[in-house]
Amino acid sequence: MALNKIVERQLYNYYALRYLFELNREYKGGLSIFKRLGCLFSGFSSEKYELYNFKENQRKLYLTDIQRRKTAMINGPYSIVLDDKNLFTRVLEQEKLTAQTYGNIKYGKISLGEEEIDLPSFIAFVKEKGKVIIKSYYGGGGQSVYRLSAENDQLTLNEKPVSPEELADFIAKAKRFIISEHLTQADYAAQIFPGTINTIRILTMQDPSTHEVFIPIAVHKFGSTKTMPADNVRNGGMTARVDIETGILQRSALHADNNMKIQWQELHPDTKVKIEGTVIPNWRQVRERIIQLAQSLDYIRYVGWDVVVTNDGLRIIEGNNFSDVNILQIHQPLLRDQRARNFYKYYGIIKR
């Protein structure tokens, strides 16, 4: 192994260990010291004991927190395609699957297309569109995502009224943000919760032996009044596993305490609509289109796609380089799937 590869791998080991201890510092639960140490020595932060129900489930079936952080190295230099939202949109431009990018805000300056505009022109544009999304070039998990709306001459930013002066102050502080289309989700998702665009996290892997793309797991996310405008489920949203073959949603979990606690319940906390048993329309086409897309981008071997199903088909919000596995594994441990196990072993994420 070349020296630079050895150094790179050791660097990832360091980042992974640091990530584990950072996660563990956030734990405020009452787990005994012995169980907490047991989790740490196994590569898990303490909250995973209850989150993954280790009292009944085998730890060896779960990707650990250390291993999850190491998956950041799988895509190598091509990870930038997923990390940079602007670049990601440009790469998929010909597919016409991502939300349309209208322009950007860079260090307080607004541009639509190639033209720099002033604040009144931008407000007029928002009034014409009704709603736009403003999100950071980098980052994930629903962080730094804003919904700017204009209705009856009233501007709202993340559902809170904002004056032109307050909007100007917000823009003045914005460093690198994308201005993009606000998508309209399919009826089934809006019925469960209309206040956020509710996405499906679809994990794709490229089989190292056959080079065929497969989906080991997919989970539907639903926001709530506590997570608006994004469906970041960490403090009050819900998730439900998608049956890969049928597109039927399985039992649903309510997330709390920065995703350190979950509660299994059938109904959405705000709308009281039942989630389990809901069928995603045209799921087979959605599934096959994502596989086809991942196959065409064969240099990116590991992606957590955030997909929204609309009444006209599917649109892609973003791709994640090293997907959060917590929201996936509470529903099904990743290493139960032998194909996923082989994939992680091939890239040195797990040993056996």
Side-chain angles (χ1 to χ4, degrees):
M1 185 181 293
L3 180 61
N4 63 326
K5 289 291 184 183
I6 294 175
V7 172
E8 182 182 42
R9 190 167 290 273
Q10 291 305 315
L11 195 59
Y12 274 111
N13 288 338
Y14 165 74
Y15 285 140
L17 193 60
R18 189 176 72 175
Y19 171 72
L20 172 64
F21 284 104
E22 286 174 352
L23 278 181
N24 208 60
R25 277 200 298 269
E26 297 175 9
Y27 178 71
K28 307 298 181 185
L31 198 65
S32 72
I33 185 64
F34 299 106
K35 289 178 180 177
R36 293 178 68 170
L37 288 172
C39 284
L40 282 173
F41 282 119
S42 300
F44 298 95
S45 54
S46 297
E47 82 278 357
K48 301 304 188 306
Y49 185 87
E50 294 182 353
L51 204 61
Y52 294 161
N53 191 16
F54 284 152
K55 188 175 182 179
E56 298 181 11
N57 297 326
Q58 300 180 57
R59 297 184 194 192
K60 65 181 182 180
L61 295 178
Y62 292 81
L63 197 71
T64 70
D65 292 312
I66 283 183
Q67 291 162 347
R68 179 260 170 170
R69 185 61 182 82
K70 287 183 180 181
T71 61
M73 69 183 181
I74 292 175
N75 291 320
Y78 297 110
S79 62
I80 190 174
V81 176
L82 303 174
D83 291 335
D84 186 324
K85 292 181 176 62
N86 191 45
L87 178 59
F88 178 77
T89 300
R90 289 180 179 273
V91 168
L92 295 185
E93 200 166 22
Q94 291 186 338
E95 303 290 342
K96 298 184 188 272
L97 289 175
T98 57
Q100 182 182 352
T101 298
Y102 297 133
N104 58 63
I105 303 172
K106 291 183 179 179
Y107 300 98
K109 295 183 178 180
I110 310 165
S111 296
L112 291 180
E114 300 299 322
E115 181 184 358
E116 187 175 320
I117 63 170
D118 58 17
L119 183 63
S121 298
F122 180 51
I123 292 174
F125 177 80
V126 176
K127 288 180 178 179
E128 177 189 340
K129 296 297 181 182
K131 297 176 184 178
V132 299
I133 294 295
I134 301 174
K135 61 182 179 181
S136 174
Y137 272 52
Y138 305 99
Q143 302 298 315
S144 299
V145 176
Y146 302 88
R147 177 162 54 202
L148 180 61
S149 306
E151 186 175 351
N152 299 325
D153 289 328
Q154 175 63 64
L155 293 170
T156 60
L157 187 65
N158 285 1
E159 321 315 314
K160 296 180 180 179
V162 60
S163 68
E165 293 75 20
E166 289 169 328
L167 180 59
D169 184 59
F170 168 80
I171 290 171
K173 296 175 182 176
K175 293 183 178 180
R176 294 180 66 84
F177 281 78
I178 298 168
I179 305 167
S180 67
E181 173 188 11
H182 185 281
L183 298 174
T184 301
Q185 63 192 331
D187 296 338
Y188 83 96
Q191 183 179 12
I192 292 174
F193 186 69
T196 59
I197 301 299
N198 303 303
T199 60
I200 309 170
R201 173 66 57 84
I202 303 177
L203 193 65
T204 60
M205 301 177 178
Q206 186 187 108
D207 189 295
S209 300
T210 66
H211 304 293
E212 296 295 320
V213 171
F214 65 95
I215 300 173
I217 191 169
V219 167
H220 209 311
K221 300 184 288 181
F222 295 94
S224 72
T225 53
K226 293 181 178 180
T227 73
M228 289 166 60
D231 65 350
N232 175 11
V233 301
R234 289 182 175 273
N235 285 300
M238 297 195 73
T239 57
R241 185 172 65 86
V242 181
D243 185 293
I244 300 297
E245 294 303 317
T246 66
I248 298 174
L249 300 188
Q250 308 302 295
R251 69 172 183 160
S252 51
L254 175 67
H255 297 244
D257 292 350
N258 201 29
N259 203 30
M260 291 190 180
K261 291 182 181 179
I262 59 168
Q263 177 184 336
W264 299 101
Q265 63 182 53
E266 290 187 342
L267 306 182
H268 190 281
D270 299 312
T271 61
K272 309 306 179 188
V273 174
K274 184 179 179 181
I275 296 176
E276 185 176 358
T278 299
V279 180
I280 301 172
N282 303 313
W283 167 251
R284 186 177 298 275
Q285 290 92 325
V286 171
R287 182 189 67 193
E288 296 308 314
R289 187 68 181 93
I290 289 297
I291 289 176
Q292 180 188 48
L293 181 60
Q295 198 75 56
S296 69
L297 301 172
D298 59 356
Y299 51 90
I300 307 176
R301 302 176 180 90
Y302 183 64
V303 186
W305 304 91
D306 280 336
V307 174
V308 57
V309 177
T310 73
N311 289 332
D312 300 318
L314 79 141
R315 304 289 290 277
I316 296 171
I317 301 294
E318 64 183 23
N320 297 273
N321 183 43
F322 56 113
S323 174
D324 183 358
V325 298
N326 296 356
I327 61 171
L328 306 176
Q329 292 196 125
I330 63 167
H331 297 282
Q332 179 177 292
L334 279 165
L335 302 183
R336 180 180 291 171
D337 187 312
Q338 188 60 48
R339 299 169 303 170
R341 184 181 289 275
N342 293 341
F343 175 86
Y344 288 127
K345 183 178 179 181
Y346 178 85
Y347 286 104
I349 307 302
I350 64 173
K351 292 183 179 180
R352 57 184 177 84

